[in-house]
Amino acid sequence: MVEWVHLPGLSPYPETLAAMEARATAIAAGTADEAIWLLEHPPLYTAGTSARIEDLVEPDRFPVFSAGRGGQYTYHGPGQRVVYVMLDVGRREKDVRCFVRHLESWVIAALAEFNVRGEIRPGRVGVWVARPDKAPGPDGTPAEDKIAAIGIKLRRWVSFHGISINVEPDLSHFGGIVPCGIRDHGVTSLVDLGLPVTMADLDAALMRTFAETMETPAACG
């Protein structure tokens, strides 16, 4: 059984991280059910295990926390749905890359509920949206923006951390970092794409598409 929890207001990062780690430990010990937490954080930056200090462009803009998850620098803030995913990967495919792929597929399925085509890119974890309304890059590469970031950590095959999906955050706040270490592309949100999607709308889509992408996943090739 997976317990879904909505955390109200803006969840302080250190306390939420500690609670999430405690829940993951309890799941691994068999004393708690798997869980998915849906929340928002106050404006802050987090550094993953691959973060490069030169990608922290404005270190004094918002608080910066070491997250311990995979990945590089990420922004969290109001208007962004953070999805902390505490699942037993060991009883699923027991394959970290495959699990991340399923997380991406889950996000893509949820975005499709709003007729948004989310895509993945080789070598870039997360979900992207093509932007034909924007000018291509200097090399002619079509413009695309990131709409969802993924960064997880496993402890005894239980995942924690997870996904952040941009609903209506202040996109200028991403300017204090190089998001996920990628300089050549931008960041977007559902509202930036012209869709009047609310946080509740996205939560409902995530809950509707969870089973088809996470509980009965197709084999990873």
Side-chain angles (χ1 to χ4, degrees):
M1 174 178 288
V2 177
E3 179 187 17
W4 291 75
V5 178
H6 286 78
L7 301 182
L10 299 179
S11 301
Y13 191 79
E15 292 88 339
T16 307
L17 180 63
M20 175 174 55
E21 291 188 354
R23 180 61 178 261
T25 298
I27 294 168
T31 58
D33 291 330
E34 296 177 302
I36 293 175
W37 292 355
L38 303 170
L39 61 131
E40 295 172 80
H41 285 304
L44 57 91
Y45 298 129
T46 67
T49 53
S50 301
R52 299 173 297 194
I53 191 61
E54 62 268 24
D55 289 341
L56 183 59
V57 180
E58 298 180 34
D60 299 323
R61 187 169 185 178
F62 297 125
V64 181
F65 297 96
S66 176
R69 54 158 174 79
Q72 302 185 40
Y73 281 105
T74 299
Y75 166 76
H76 294 314
Q80 181 191 75
R81 175 52 84 213
V82 173
V83 187
Y84 284 142
V85 180
M86 289 152 278
L87 298 175
D88 186 350
V89 180
R91 78 170 180 84
R92 291 175 168 81
E93 54 275 318
K94 206 169 188 178
D95 181 320
V96 178
R97 290 185 180 180
C98 193
F99 181 67
V100 170
R101 188 175 301 177
H102 292 317
L103 291 175
E104 292 171 332
S105 296
W106 182 26
V107 173
I108 289 170
L111 293 176
E113 298 265 306
F114 310 106
N115 294 316
V116 173
R117 181 183 174 86
E119 301 175 342
I120 58 174
R121 295 289 181 264
R124 290 193 253 144
V125 174
V127 178
W128 299 79
V129 177
R131 299 302 303 268
D133 55 313
K134 291 187 174 182
D139 61 352
T141 303
E144 57 186 9
D145 290 337
K146 193 168 193 176
I147 195 167
I150 295 174
I152 64 166
K153 185 173 182 178
L154 265 63
R155 180 174 296 162
R156 294 175 59 189
W157 286 106
V158 173
S159 67
F160 53 109
H161 295 282
I163 303 165
S164 58
I165 305 172
N166 297 329
V167 178
E168 192 179 8
D170 185 336
L171 296 178
S172 71
H173 289 178
F174 285 89
I177 57 172
V178 177
C180 302
I182 297 171
R183 299 177 181 272
D184 299 332
H185 302 284
V187 179
T188 191
S189 69
L190 287 165
V191 171
D192 181 54
L193 293 172
L195 300 168
V197 177
T198 67
M199 202 70 73
D201 293 334
L202 177 62
D203 292 346
L206 288 167
M207 295 179 79
R208 279 194 300 268
T209 56
F210 177 78
E212 68 186 70
T213 53
M214 297 300 298
E215 294 290 35
T216 55
C220 287

